[in-house]
Amino acid sequence: MRDASYEFLKRLLSTPGPSGNEGAAAKIWREEAKGFAEVRGDRMGNSFATLNAGGLPKVMLSGHIDEIGLMVTHIDEKGLLRFTGVGGWDPQVLVGQRVRLQTENGEVVGVIGKKAIHVMEPEERKKVSEIKSLWIDVGAKDADEAKGMVRIGDVGVVDQDLLELPNGRIASRSLDNRMGAFVVLEALRLLSEEEGVGAEVVAVASVQEEIGLYGARGAAFGLDPDAAIAVDVTHATDTPGVSKNENGDHALGSGPVIKRATNLSPVVSEGLIAAAEGADIAYTLEADSRSTGTDADAIQFTRAGIATGLVSAPNRYMHSPNEIVDLGDLENCARLISAYIKGLDASTDFVR
């Protein structure tokens, strides 16, 4: 991956942006996009970068920019903050984590606490933690001090810096799915350097995926594209206990994952497969007999229907503070999408 792209990815990953509060991350994405595309936002908070406006067909690329997070629900008399999850958490990974709360007066840091094992009853030690039994300690001495620091409804993220690992791998929070927002813009950048691109291509950093696929639905309705490609993470199946029989064979470094699913367009899926083989990009296939659980689901049934495909990157430890991906997989996701779109023109027919 080129240095400038990697630096952009690191800025995206380090910037807090839980669902519904993606503005800081969206600002970074839009600034990067201005270097080669026409950029705008919408009332939901989605970000759009357009290349070759007026071309045919019109293709939407969607990667959601929100991440899972936390929201303050109550401040008790001791100044401890009760909270709930924004998106889906395994509460076990939250215990003892440091957090960064986003407030109107700036960032407030805290620690997620629970009853220490030494003072638990034997039966308590056998129980898994639930979010309702955890709290955030910001160091306040009482409720009044805490209320001067945060408000009910403030959101936050786990405080976890990006970690560079051997073999071109990184660990970070928010890879699900800043990775997708990065890839769609990287694909657009690659296309901006090509001559003869016939399609209008709109990269979208969509919002609120983790709480209901809302941003992509609104963006797709407004754009009404002929076709779309959603980009997200999928489960890497190269760790213990993950069934390849159920989830497929997707190792870190094995390349983009192209989804074949009952609710996706076979025209787009087969086109992506052909593009990967034509560009000599290694890939794996993933099957789904129902919905995909990604923005592709929201996009494909918008308006009268949009021909939609899904490209993913293998991700270890999804929805944790230390998700792991392979940088080569991200780069090849962008290369695949670029190669596919270069083969489209005004005569491309998505009807089936």
Side-chain angles (χ1 to χ4, degrees):
M1 182 179 292
R2 68 177 195 138
D3 290 345
S5 296
Y6 184 42
E7 290 303 315
F8 167 51
L9 174 62
K10 289 193 289 186
R11 290 196 305 274
L12 269 184
L13 293 173
S14 66
T15 305
S19 302
N21 293 268
E22 303 92 346
K27 181 178 180 181
I28 289 172
W29 193 92
R30 293 178 191 183
E31 285 299 319
E32 183 73 14
K34 286 178 181 177
F36 50 85
E38 179 183 340
V39 179
R40 65 178 178 88
D42 70 8
R43 290 185 294 270
M44 292 189 73
N46 293 310
S47 302
F48 302 82
T50 302
L51 189 70
N52 197 30
L56 291 172
K58 180 190 286 188
V59 182
M60 171 183 176
L61 308 178
S62 182
H64 73 86
I65 199 166
D66 59 315
E67 61 180 300
I68 58 174
L70 313 168
M71 177 179 283
V72 178
T73 57
H74 176 66
I75 301 172
D76 72 18
E77 68 278 1
K78 298 182 180 69
L80 300 174
L81 316 180
R82 298 292 178 161
F83 66 95
T84 190
V86 177
W89 280 103
D90 174 359
Q92 310 318 302
V93 306
L94 290 173
V95 177
Q97 297 285 349
R98 297 177 182 179
V99 297
R100 299 162 61 186
L101 298 172
Q102 312 303 302
T103 80
E104 62 179 349
N105 297 317
E107 201 165 73
V108 173
V109 297
V111 175
I112 297 178
K114 66 170 287 187
K115 193 175 182 179
I117 192 170
H118 311 75
V119 292
M120 287 182 182
E121 297 298 331
E123 287 304 310
E124 288 183 286
R125 299 180 185 184
K126 299 177 184 179
K127 296 178 180 179
V128 297
S129 297
E130 298 181 66
I131 286 181
K132 66 182 180 181
S133 67
L134 305 177
W135 57 85
I136 299 172
D137 191 334
V138 294
K141 64 181 182 297
D142 55 31
D144 287 341
E145 184 177 8
K147 290 176 181 178
M149 300 166 69
V150 300
R151 292 189 300 167
I152 304 301
D154 282 344
V155 297
V157 298
V158 170
D159 186 9
Q160 195 66 267
D161 292 333
L162 182 145
L163 177 66
E164 294 180 333
L165 298 170
N167 302 306
R169 297 170 177 182
I170 59 170
S172 178
R173 48 156 264 277
S174 77
L175 279 163
D176 180 9
N177 186 35
R178 298 284 162 66
M179 179 287 299
F182 166 81
V183 165
V184 298
L185 195 58
E186 184 72 357
L188 198 73
R189 182 189 66 79
L190 292 173
L191 287 166
S192 75
E193 297 173 353
E194 296 284 343
E195 294 184 1
V197 176
E200 175 180 337
V201 191
V202 186
V204 182
S206 60
V207 297
Q208 300 178 30
E209 190 270 356
E210 296 291 356
I211 58 172
L213 315 180
Y214 299 133
R217 182 178 294 116
F221 189 95
L223 288 173
D224 192 19
D226 301 296
I229 300 170
V231 181
D232 212 317
V233 291
T234 193
H235 296 289
T237 57
D238 55 358
T239 55
V242 182
S243 171
K244 293 181 181 179
N245 292 341
E246 297 176 8
N247 300 289
D249 191 359
H250 315 298
L252 293 187
S254 62
V257 181
I258 301 172
K259 176 84 87 169
R260 301 184 70 209
T262 52
N263 70 325
L264 295 178
S265 168
V267 177
V268 178
S269 298
E270 293 301 324
L272 287 165
I273 292 169
E277 293 176 352
D280 198 25
I281 298 171
Y283 68 94
T284 62
L285 292 176
E286 185 174 28
D288 206 318
S289 62
R290 299 197 179 192
S291 58
T292 70
T294 71
D295 276 343
D297 298 346
I299 295 168
Q300 62 91 22
F301 66 70
T302 297
R303 289 185 180 260
I306 296 167
T308 303
L310 175 60
V311 173
S312 306
N315 179 21
R316 291 179 179 172
Y317 323 124
M318 198 181 300
H319 280 208
S320 82
N322 285 293
E323 300 175 327
I324 295 180
V325 299
D326 185 292
L327 292 173
D329 290 339
L330 308 194
E331 186 173 16
N332 283 323
C333 283
R335 288 181 57 224
L336 166 59
I337 293 167
S338 174
Y340 171 69
I341 291 175
K342 281 189 292 184
L344 304 179
D345 59 32
S347 67
T348 302
D349 187 1
F350 295 100
V351 176
R352 58 187 179 92

CSV table of all heavy atoms in Angstrom, one decimal, residues 29-66:
chain,number,residue,atom,x,y,z
A,29,TRP,N,-12.5,12.0,5.8
A,29,TRP,CA,-12.8,11.3,4.5
A,29,TRP,C,-13.0,12.4,3.4
A,29,TRP,O,-12.5,12.3,2.3
A,29,TRP,CB,-14.0,10.4,4.7
A,29,TRP,CG,-14.2,9.4,3.7
A,29,TRP,CD1,-13.8,8.2,3.6
A,29,TRP,CD2,-15.1,9.7,2.5
A,29,TRP,NE1,-14.3,7.6,2.4
A,29,TRP,CE2,-15.1,8.5,1.8
A,29,TRP,CE3,-15.8,10.7,2.0
A,29,TRP,CZ2,-15.8,8.3,0.6
A,29,TRP,CZ3,-16.5,10.6,0.8
A,29,TRP,CH2,-16.5,9.4,0.1
A,30,ARG,N,-13.8,13.4,3.8
A,30,ARG,CA,-14.1,14.4,2.7
A,30,ARG,C,-12.9,15.2,2.3
A,30,ARG,O,-12.7,15.5,1.1
A,30,ARG,CB,-15.2,15.3,3.3
A,30,ARG,CG,-16.6,14.6,3.5
A,30,ARG,CD,-17.6,15.6,4.1
A,30,ARG,NE,-18.8,14.9,4.5
A,30,ARG,CZ,-19.9,15.5,5.0
A,30,ARG,NH1,-19.9,16.8,5.1
A,30,ARG,NH2,-20.9,14.8,5.4
A,31,GLU,N,-12.1,15.5,3.3
A,31,GLU,CA,-10.9,16.3,2.9
A,31,GLU,C,-10.0,15.5,2.0
A,31,GLU,O,-9.4,16.0,1.1
A,31,GLU,CB,-10.1,16.6,4.2
A,31,GLU,CG,-10.7,17.8,5.0
A,31,GLU,CD,-10.8,19.1,4.2
A,31,GLU,OE1,-9.8,19.4,3.5
A,31,GLU,OE2,-11.8,19.8,4.3
A,32,GLU,N,-9.8,14.2,2.3
A,32,GLU,CA,-9.0,13.3,1.4
A,32,GLU,C,-9.6,13.3,0.0
A,32,GLU,O,-8.9,13.3,-1.0
A,32,GLU,CB,-8.9,11.9,2.0
A,32,GLU,CG,-8.1,11.0,1.3
A,32,GLU,CD,-6.6,11.3,1.4
A,32,GLU,OE1,-6.2,12.0,2.3
A,32,GLU,OE2,-5.8,10.7,0.6
A,33,ALA,N,-11.0,13.1,-0.1
A,33,ALA,CA,-11.6,13.0,-1.4
A,33,ALA,C,-11.5,14.2,-2.2
A,33,ALA,O,-11.6,14.1,-3.5
A,33,ALA,CB,-13.1,12.6,-1.1
A,34,LYS,N,-11.4,15.4,-1.6
A,34,LYS,CA,-11.3,16.6,-2.4
A,34,LYS,C,-10.2,16.7,-3.3
A,34,LYS,O,-10.2,17.5,-4.3
A,34,LYS,CB,-11.3,17.8,-1.4
A,34,LYS,CG,-12.6,18.1,-0.8
A,34,LYS,CD,-12.5,19.3,0.2
A,34,LYS,CE,-13.8,19.6,0.9
A,34,LYS,NZ,-13.7,20.7,1.9
A,35,GLY,N,-9.2,15.9,-3.1
A,35,GLY,CA,-8.0,15.9,-4.0
A,35,GLY,C,-8.3,15.4,-5.4
A,35,GLY,O,-7.5,15.6,-6.3
A,36,PHE,N,-9.4,14.6,-5.6
A,36,PHE,CA,-9.6,14.0,-6.9
A,36,PHE,C,-11.0,13.8,-7.3
A,36,PHE,O,-11.4,13.2,-8.3
A,36,PHE,CB,-8.9,12.7,-7.0
A,36,PHE,CG,-9.2,11.7,-5.8
A,36,PHE,CD1,-10.3,10.9,-5.8
A,36,PHE,CD2,-8.4,11.7,-4.7
A,36,PHE,CE1,-10.6,10.1,-4.8
A,36,PHE,CE2,-8.6,10.9,-3.7
A,36,PHE,CZ,-9.8,10.0,-3.7
A,37,ALA,N,-12.0,14.3,-6.4
A,37,ALA,CA,-13.4,14.1,-6.7
A,37,ALA,C,-14.2,15.3,-6.3
A,37,ALA,O,-13.7,16.2,-5.5
A,37,ALA,CB,-13.9,12.9,-6.0
A,38,GLU,N,-15.5,15.4,-6.7
A,38,GLU,CA,-16.4,16.4,-6.3
A,38,GLU,C,-17.1,15.9,-5.0
A,38,GLU,O,-17.6,14.7,-5.0
A,38,GLU,CB,-17.5,16.6,-7.4
A,38,GLU,CG,-18.5,17.6,-7.0
A,38,GLU,CD,-19.6,17.7,-8.1
A,38,GLU,OE1,-19.3,17.3,-9.2
A,38,GLU,OE2,-20.7,18.2,-7.8
A,39,VAL,N,-17.0,16.6,-3.9
A,39,VAL,CA,-17.4,16.2,-2.6
A,39,VAL,C,-18.6,16.9,-2.1
A,39,VAL,O,-18.7,18.1,-2.2
A,39,VAL,CB,-16.2,16.3,-1.6
A,39,VAL,CG1,-16.6,15.8,-0.2
A,39,VAL,CG2,-15.0,15.5,-2.2
A,40,ARG,N,-19.5,16.2,-1.4
A,40,ARG,CA,-20.6,16.8,-0.7
A,40,ARG,C,-21.1,15.9,0.4
A,40,ARG,O,-20.6,14.8,0.5
A,40,ARG,CB,-21.8,17.1,-1.7
A,40,ARG,CG,-22.4,15.8,-2.2
A,40,ARG,CD,-23.6,16.1,-3.1
A,40,ARG,NE,-24.2,14.9,-3.7
A,40,ARG,CZ,-25.2,14.2,-3.1
A,40,ARG,NH1,-25.7,14.6,-1.9
A,40,ARG,NH2,-25.7,13.1,-3.7
A,41,GLY,N,-22.0,16.4,1.3
A,41,GLY,CA,-22.6,15.6,2.3
A,41,GLY,C,-24.1,15.7,2.2
A,41,GLY,O,-24.6,16.4,1.3
A,42,ASP,N,-24.8,15.0,3.1
A,42,ASP,CA,-26.3,15.1,3.1
A,42,ASP,C,-26.8,15.3,4.5
A,42,ASP,O,-26.0,15.3,5.5
A,42,ASP,CB,-27.0,13.9,2.4
A,42,ASP,CG,-26.8,12.6,3.2
A,42,ASP,OD1,-26.3,12.6,4.3
A,42,ASP,OD2,-27.2,11.5,2.6
A,43,ARG,N,-28.1,15.4,4.7
A,43,ARG,CA,-28.6,15.7,6.0
A,43,ARG,C,-28.5,14.5,7.0
A,43,ARG,O,-28.6,14.8,8.2
A,43,ARG,CB,-30.1,16.1,5.9
A,43,ARG,CG,-30.3,17.4,5.2
A,43,ARG,CD,-31.8,17.8,5.2
A,43,ARG,NE,-32.6,16.9,4.3
A,43,ARG,CZ,-32.8,17.1,3.0
A,43,ARG,NH1,-32.3,18.2,2.4
A,43,ARG,NH2,-33.6,16.3,2.4
A,44,MET,N,-28.3,13.3,6.5
A,44,MET,CA,-28.0,12.2,7.4
A,44,MET,C,-26.6,12.2,8.0
A,44,MET,O,-26.3,11.5,9.0
A,44,MET,CB,-28.4,10.9,6.7
A,44,MET,CG,-29.8,10.7,6.4
A,44,MET,SD,-30.1,9.0,5.8
A,44,MET,CE,-30.0,8.1,7.4
A,45,GLY,N,-25.7,12.8,7.2
A,45,GLY,CA,-24.3,12.7,7.6
A,45,GLY,C,-23.5,11.9,6.6
A,45,GLY,O,-22.2,11.8,6.8
A,46,ASN,N,-24.1,11.3,5.6
A,46,ASN,CA,-23.4,10.6,4.6
A,46,ASN,C,-22.4,11.5,3.8
A,46,ASN,O,-22.7,12.7,3.7
A,46,ASN,CB,-24.3,9.9,3.6
A,46,ASN,CG,-25.2,8.9,4.2
A,46,ASN,OD1,-24.7,8.0,4.8
A,46,ASN,ND2,-26.5,8.9,3.9
A,47,SER,N,-21.3,11.0,3.3
A,47,SER,CA,-20.4,11.7,2.5
A,47,SER,C,-20.3,11.1,1.2
A,47,SER,O,-20.3,9.9,1.0
A,47,SER,CB,-19.0,11.7,3.2
A,47,SER,OG,-19.0,12.2,4.5
A,48,PHE,N,-20.2,12.0,0.1
A,48,PHE,CA,-20.2,11.6,-1.3
A,48,PHE,C,-19.0,12.1,-2.0
A,48,PHE,O,-18.7,13.3,-1.9
A,48,PHE,CB,-21.5,12.0,-2.0
A,48,PHE,CG,-22.8,11.6,-1.4
A,48,PHE,CD1,-23.3,12.2,-0.3
A,48,PHE,CD2,-23.5,10.5,-1.9
A,48,PHE,CE1,-24.5,11.8,0.3
A,48,PHE,CE2,-24.7,10.1,-1.3
A,48,PHE,CZ,-25.2,10.7,-0.2
A,49,ALA,N,-18.4,11.3,-2.8
A,49,ALA,CA,-17.3,11.8,-3.7
A,49,ALA,C,-17.6,11.2,-5.1
A,49,ALA,O,-17.7,10.0,-5.3
A,49,ALA,CB,-16.0,11.2,-3.2
A,50,THR,N,-17.8,12.2,-6.0
A,50,THR,CA,-18.2,11.8,-7.3
A,50,THR,C,-17.1,12.0,-8.4
A,50,THR,O,-16.5,13.0,-8.4
A,50,THR,CB,-19.5,12.6,-7.7
A,50,THR,OG1,-20.5,12.4,-6.8
A,50,THR,CG2,-20.0,12.3,-9.1
A,51,LEU,N,-17.0,11.0,-9.2
A,51,LEU,CA,-16.1,11.0,-10.4
A,51,LEU,C,-16.8,10.8,-11.7
A,51,LEU,O,-17.7,10.0,-11.7
A,51,LEU,CB,-15.0,9.9,-10.2
A,51,LEU,CG,-13.8,9.9,-11.1
A,51,LEU,CD1,-12.9,11.0,-10.8
A,51,LEU,CD2,-13.1,8.5,-11.0
A,52,ASN,N,-16.5,11.7,-12.7
A,52,ASN,CA,-17.1,11.5,-14.0
A,52,ASN,C,-18.6,11.7,-14.0
A,52,ASN,O,-19.4,10.9,-14.5
A,52,ASN,CB,-16.7,10.2,-14.6
A,52,ASN,CG,-16.9,10.1,-16.1
A,52,ASN,OD1,-16.8,11.1,-16.8
A,52,ASN,ND2,-17.2,8.9,-16.6
A,53,ALA,N,-19.1,12.8,-13.3
A,53,ALA,CA,-20.5,13.0,-13.3
A,53,ALA,C,-21.2,13.0,-14.6
A,53,ALA,O,-20.6,13.6,-15.6
A,53,ALA,CB,-20.8,14.4,-12.6
A,54,GLY,N,-22.3,12.4,-14.8
A,54,GLY,CA,-23.0,12.3,-16.0
A,54,GLY,C,-22.7,11.1,-16.8
A,54,GLY,O,-23.3,10.8,-17.9
A,55,GLY,N,-21.6,10.3,-16.4
A,55,GLY,CA,-21.3,9.1,-17.2
A,55,GLY,C,-22.3,8.0,-16.9
A,55,GLY,O,-23.2,8.1,-16.1
A,56,LEU,N,-22.2,7.0,-17.7
A,56,LEU,CA,-23.1,5.8,-17.6
A,56,LEU,C,-22.3,4.5,-17.6
A,56,LEU,O,-21.3,4.4,-18.3
A,56,LEU,CB,-24.1,5.8,-18.8
A,56,LEU,CG,-25.2,6.9,-18.8
A,56,LEU,CD1,-25.9,6.9,-20.1
A,56,LEU,CD2,-26.1,6.8,-17.6
A,57,PRO,N,-22.8,3.6,-16.8
A,57,PRO,CA,-23.8,3.6,-15.8
A,57,PRO,C,-23.4,4.4,-14.6
A,57,PRO,O,-22.2,4.7,-14.4
A,57,PRO,CB,-24.1,2.2,-15.5
A,57,PRO,CG,-22.7,1.5,-15.6
A,57,PRO,CD,-22.1,2.2,-16.8
A,58,LYS,N,-24.4,4.7,-13.7
A,58,LYS,CA,-24.0,5.3,-12.5
A,58,LYS,C,-23.8,4.2,-11.4
A,58,LYS,O,-24.7,3.4,-11.2
A,58,LYS,CB,-25.1,6.3,-12.0
A,58,LYS,CG,-24.8,7.0,-10.7
A,58,LYS,CD,-26.0,7.7,-10.1
A,58,LYS,CE,-26.3,9.0,-10.8
A,58,LYS,NZ,-27.4,9.8,-10.1
A,59,VAL,N,-22.7,4.2,-10.8
A,59,VAL,CA,-22.4,3.2,-9.8
A,59,VAL,C,-22.1,3.8,-8.5
A,59,VAL,O,-21.3,4.7,-8.3
A,59,VAL,CB,-21.1,2.3,-10.3
A,59,VAL,CG1,-20.8,1.2,-9.3
A,59,VAL,CG2,-21.4,1.8,-11.7
A,60,MET,N,-22.7,3.2,-7.5
A,60,MET,CA,-22.5,3.7,-6.1
A,60,MET,C,-21.5,2.7,-5.4
A,60,MET,O,-21.7,1.5,-5.5
A,60,MET,CB,-23.8,3.7,-5.3
A,60,MET,CG,-23.8,3.9,-3.8
A,60,MET,SD,-25.5,3.9,-3.1
A,60,MET,CE,-25.1,4.0,-1.4
A,61,LEU,N,-20.5,3.2,-4.7
A,61,LEU,CA,-19.7,2.4,-3.9
A,61,LEU,C,-19.9,2.8,-2.4
A,61,LEU,O,-19.8,4.0,-2.1
A,61,LEU,CB,-18.2,2.6,-4.2
A,61,LEU,CG,-17.8,2.5,-5.7
A,61,LEU,CD1,-16.3,2.8,-5.9
A,61,LEU,CD2,-18.1,1.1,-6.2
A,62,SER,N,-20.2,1.9,-1.6
A,62,SER,CA,-20.6,2.2,-0.2
A,62,SER,C,-19.8,1.5,0.8
A,62,SER,O,-19.8,0.2,0.8
A,62,SER,CB,-22.1,1.9,0.0
A,62,SER,OG,-22.5,2.3,1.3
A,63,GLY,N,-19.2,2.2,1.7
A,63,GLY,CA,-18.5,1.7,2.9
A,63,GLY,C,-18.9,2.5,4.1
A,63,GLY,O,-18.7,3.7,4.1
A,64,HIS,N,-19.4,1.8,5.1
A,64,HIS,CA,-19.9,2.6,6.2
A,64,HIS,C,-18.8,3.1,7.1
A,64,HIS,O,-17.8,2.4,7.4
A,64,HIS,CB,-21.0,1.9,7.0
A,64,HIS,CG,-20.6,0.7,7.9
A,64,HIS,ND1,-20.1,0.9,9.2
A,64,HIS,CD2,-20.5,-0.6,7.6
A,64,HIS,CE1,-19.9,-0.3,9.7
A,64,HIS,NE2,-20.1,-1.2,8.8
A,65,ILE,N,-18.9,4.3,7.6
A,65,ILE,CA,-17.8,5.0,8.3
A,65,ILE,C,-18.0,5.0,9.8
A,65,ILE,O,-17.2,5.4,10.6
A,65,ILE,CB,-17.6,6.4,7.8
A,65,ILE,CG1,-16.2,7.0,8.2
A,65,ILE,CG2,-18.7,7.4,8.3
A,65,ILE,CD1,-15.8,8.3,7.4
A,66,ASP,N,-19.2,4.5,10.2
A,66,ASP,CA,-19.5,4.5,11.7
A,66,ASP,C,-18.8,3.3,12.3
A,66,ASP,O,-18.4,2.3,11.6
A,66,ASP,CB,-21.0,4.5,12.0
A,66,ASP,CG,-21.7,3.3,11.3
A,66,ASP,OD1,-21.5,3.0,10.2
A,66,ASP,OD2,-22.6,2.7,12.0
